[in-house]
Amino acid sequence: MKKTLFLNPPSYEGFDGGAGSRYQAKREVRSFWYPTWLAQVAALVPDSKLVDAPARGLLLDDILPTAGDYELAILYVSAPTFLSDIAVAEALKKANPKLMVGLVGAHVATLPESSLAASQMVDFIARHEFDYTIVEIAEGKPFEEIDGITWRKDGQIVNNKDRAQIHDMDALPMVAPVYKRDLVVEDYFIGYLKYPYMSFYTGRGCRAQCSFCLWPQTIGGHTYRTRSPAKVIEEVAKMKEMFPQVQEFFFDDDTFTDNHERAEEIARGLGKLGITWSCNARPNVPYDTLKVLKENGLRLLLVGYESGVQEILNNIRKGTKIEIIRRFTADCHKLGIAIHGTFIVGLPGETHETIRQTIAFAKEINPHTIQVSLAAPYPGTALYKEAIEKGWLNEGELVQNNGLQIAALNYPHLSSEEIFDSLAEFYKAFYFRPRKIAEITLEMLSSWEMMCRRLREGVEFFTFLRTRNNAKAA
């Protein structure tokens, strides 16, 4: 077995695009997700090492001295950081010419040939779901016999056949031992989760067909493949034992609540453990299921609202109805379930009026906190294809040179500059109103720790707005 390094490469300060998140840019408030994809495969490869450079604050110079310790390096790359990720791969190879270097992630899964062609120092691309692909490479299996890779044979780029998706999710080992061995729990924090928190996947894939969403269209697929409730409860119990400092567990599945019976069964098991937990959810979970989840430790749902305009939801194939969204949100408020709501400006069909309507909708349903993103047409998504076909896509990168998002779409009736400006307008309209200011003030007064946390986040948020304005002026 090759001695293997799994690396989330150094990047923009505060950039988290190589982790298990769907937001490949710097956030308004500094935050980090766990590198769940790399941790899972690291759990399959004995004596491997996982290095999460962004979360640890490591630079390339911090990593290069260890290159000679490994025979195989797997780098998780993203579309916005691709060029810098390639530079890291090349630097590792120069430091250790015998090192085999492979790339994984949604971007290279979508564009394997051009990604491999970007550097002669990259030996292969592991496409799509890459867990067992990397295991076979680490075992020394000949490239010709490994499904799911793109590599060079006699100087020519070759695409081996796709690897079959994993359906026996219980066969994958726990990630908890990798977290314990290689990560520092206190490095990971998210503004709307208790600190410190811990996240992992209980399943992969999403049945929804949202045109903008990267992971189901590139790696996870549209079939929700899950671990058994017993396995999930067993791993959480293990994490609780190994990491007593963790205050909240987050299930990073695209839509943990899609299977109501399974979610309820897991919740009842978690209730017996006495833990606080949160998860992603679509805004259509019925009241009875929400009630069971809340009664068994659910604190918060991360909900993708995207827009408050039905036409836009239809355009992106969201599969939700405004009236159901309103009822779901009201049910959460009634039960005392907090919501972190995510919205996107600049989706197909967006106008000045629809932006206004979505802002009004967000204020009406009033999630506890929000995240507003600019529509990002990542390669491999239906949104990217549509943008190319209709001439909406601006040339250039998806992020600025400081890691903040760029408005990449430009419509005849709504310019990219107007979309860019609307993000700050959205945040100000939502947060700078008496009701929300009062809510946040009461939350801050609830504890000294919350007071310090919200003040820090406030400073970071205003810095974020100022940095955006300065970048625009430049």
Side-chain angles (χ1 to χ4, degrees), residues 144-442:
E144 292 90 342
E145 301 174 13
I146 300 176
D147 291 348
I149 65 169
T150 298
W151 58 291
R152 293 183 188 86
K153 182 177 182 180
D154 300 326
Q156 300 298 313
I157 292 178
V158 176
N159 289 304
N160 289 9
K161 71 175 183 178
D162 286 340
R163 179 172 292 273
Q165 278 191 332
I166 301 169
H167 286 276
D168 182 5
M169 300 300 291
D170 281 356
L172 293 172
M174 294 183 181
V175 297
V178 175
Y179 286 2
K180 185 69 173 180
R181 183 191 69 195
D182 294 335
L183 304 181
V184 177
V185 172
E186 288 75 16
D187 285 347
Y188 299 92
F189 43 91
I190 298 291
Y192 48 85
L193 298 179
K194 290 180 177 292
Y195 177 81
Y197 84 101
M198 184 161 285
S199 68
F200 70 105
Y201 287 106
T202 76
R204 293 177 180 171
C206 179
R207 291 180 290 189
Q209 302 291 321
C210 304
S211 65
F212 63 88
C213 194
L214 181 63
W215 307 106
Q217 298 182 75
T218 57
I219 294 182
H222 289 292
T223 300
Y224 186 31
R225 298 157 290 129
T226 62
R227 291 185 175 178
S228 64
K231 281 287 187 181
V232 175
I233 296 163
E234 178 187 359
E235 180 149 21
V236 175
K238 187 69 173 177
M239 288 178 164
K240 180 184 178 183
E241 174 188 335
M242 296 174 72
F243 306 97
Q245 71 271 45
V246 168
Q247 300 297 305
E248 182 166 16
F249 293 89
F250 186 88
F251 302 125
D252 205 15
D253 308 33
D254 292 289
T255 45
F256 177 82
T257 57
D258 258 14
N259 185 325
H260 301 155
E261 291 182 2
R262 175 179 179 269
E264 290 177 18
E265 184 177 351
I266 292 173
R268 292 187 176 97
L270 298 176
K272 294 175 182 178
L273 295 176
I275 65 157
T276 299
W277 60 280
S278 299
C279 66
N280 291 310
R282 284 167 63 79
N284 59 0
V285 185
Y287 180 88
D288 290 345
T289 294
L290 290 171
K291 186 171 185 293
V292 172
L293 305 189
K294 174 62 179 177
E295 290 172 348
N296 287 280
L298 173 68
R299 187 189 69 84
L300 174 142
L301 294 176
L302 173 52
V303 179
Y305 291 110
E306 322 316 352
S307 175
V309 178
Q310 188 63 57
E311 181 182 356
I312 291 179
L313 296 179
N314 294 343
N315 289 345
I316 61 173
R317 305 200 295 270
K318 183 69 181 176
T320 51
K321 299 291 185 182
I322 292 293
E323 59 269 23
I324 294 175
I325 292 173
R326 283 195 171 96
R327 184 178 66 201
F328 159 85
T329 308
D331 288 344
C332 288
H333 289 326
K334 180 178 179 180
L335 289 165
I337 299 171
I339 295 176
H340 177 72
T342 65
F343 295 87
I344 302 174
V345 290
L347 292 166
E350 195 82 275
T351 64
H352 291 292
E353 176 60 21
T354 61
I355 292 172
R356 187 195 66 77
Q357 291 173 7
T358 295
I359 294 172
F361 179 74
K363 292 162 65 175
E364 172 200 335
I365 62 174
N366 196 38
H368 182 57
T369 53
I370 64 169
Q371 172 184 296
V372 186
S373 304
L374 301 170
Y378 291 110
T381 63
L383 178 59
Y384 178 82
K385 182 180 179 181
E386 183 180 13
I388 292 294
E389 291 174 348
K390 296 183 178 179
W392 296 337
L393 186 61
N394 289 332
E395 293 184 6
E397 303 296 329
L398 294 170
V399 296
Q400 301 169 11
N401 58 12
N402 57 9
L404 295 177
Q405 271 194 312
I406 287 172
L409 297 177
N410 191 70
Y411 303 107
H413 57 280
L414 188 69
S415 70
S416 57
E417 290 80 8
E418 291 169 315
I419 294 170
F420 184 86
D421 290 342
S422 70
L423 185 144
E425 294 169 7
F426 200 135
Y427 273 123
K428 291 175 183 177
F430 183 83
Y431 281 114
F432 300 167
R433 54 193 172 108
R435 176 181 179 182
K436 185 54 67 176
I437 292 172
E439 288 177 13
I440 294 174
T441 302
L442 287 173

Side-chain angles (χ1 to χ4, degrees), residues 5-11 15-21 24 35-39 41 50-51 54 73-79 81-82 85-86 102-108 128 130 201 214-215 218-219:
L5 169 67
F6 293 98
L7 177 63
N8 187 12
S11 185
F15 188 89
D16 195 27
S21 71
Q24 295 189 74
T36 43
W37 288 97
L38 286 181
V41 65
L50 170 59
V51 174
I74 305 299
L75 278 64
Y76 197 107
V77 306
S78 68
T81 59
F82 181 72
D85 295 336
I86 287 291
L103 308 180
V104 298
H107 182 69
V108 296
H128 308 301
F130 50 80
Y201 287 106
L214 181 63
W215 307 106
T218 57
I219 294 182

